[in-house]
Amino acid sequence: MLTRYEGFVAVLAGDDEKGYRYFGGSVSRDSRELATALREKFGAKGGGKQDMVQGQIEAKKDDIISAIMEL
């Protein structure tokens, strides 16, 4: 899917109560932008390399998705 989409692609695993593990990447942008944005907005933990990041975030799924879509 990364090769067909120019923005960020992300996967969330978890729930609104306990938080989510996130994995995200992009072939056209630096994925560390995603980790930085989630850290600044929600206090998320994590990081990675230019092509893929991962971490832990405690926020509501809809809020996380909205934040990713704004990037």
Side-chain angles (χ1 to χ4, degrees), residues 17-52:
E17 184 179 312
K18 296 179 183 176
Y20 293 91
R21 292 281 305 156
Y22 72 86
F23 303 88
S26 178
V27 294
S28 61
R29 297 180 62 184
D30 188 333
S31 297
R32 293 171 291 200
E33 292 176 43
L34 174 61
T36 298
L38 295 176
R39 183 173 34 260
E40 289 175 355
K41 187 161 183 116
F42 302 109
K45 307 273 192 242
K49 297 184 179 184
Q50 183 172 343
D51 60 339
M52 193 206 84

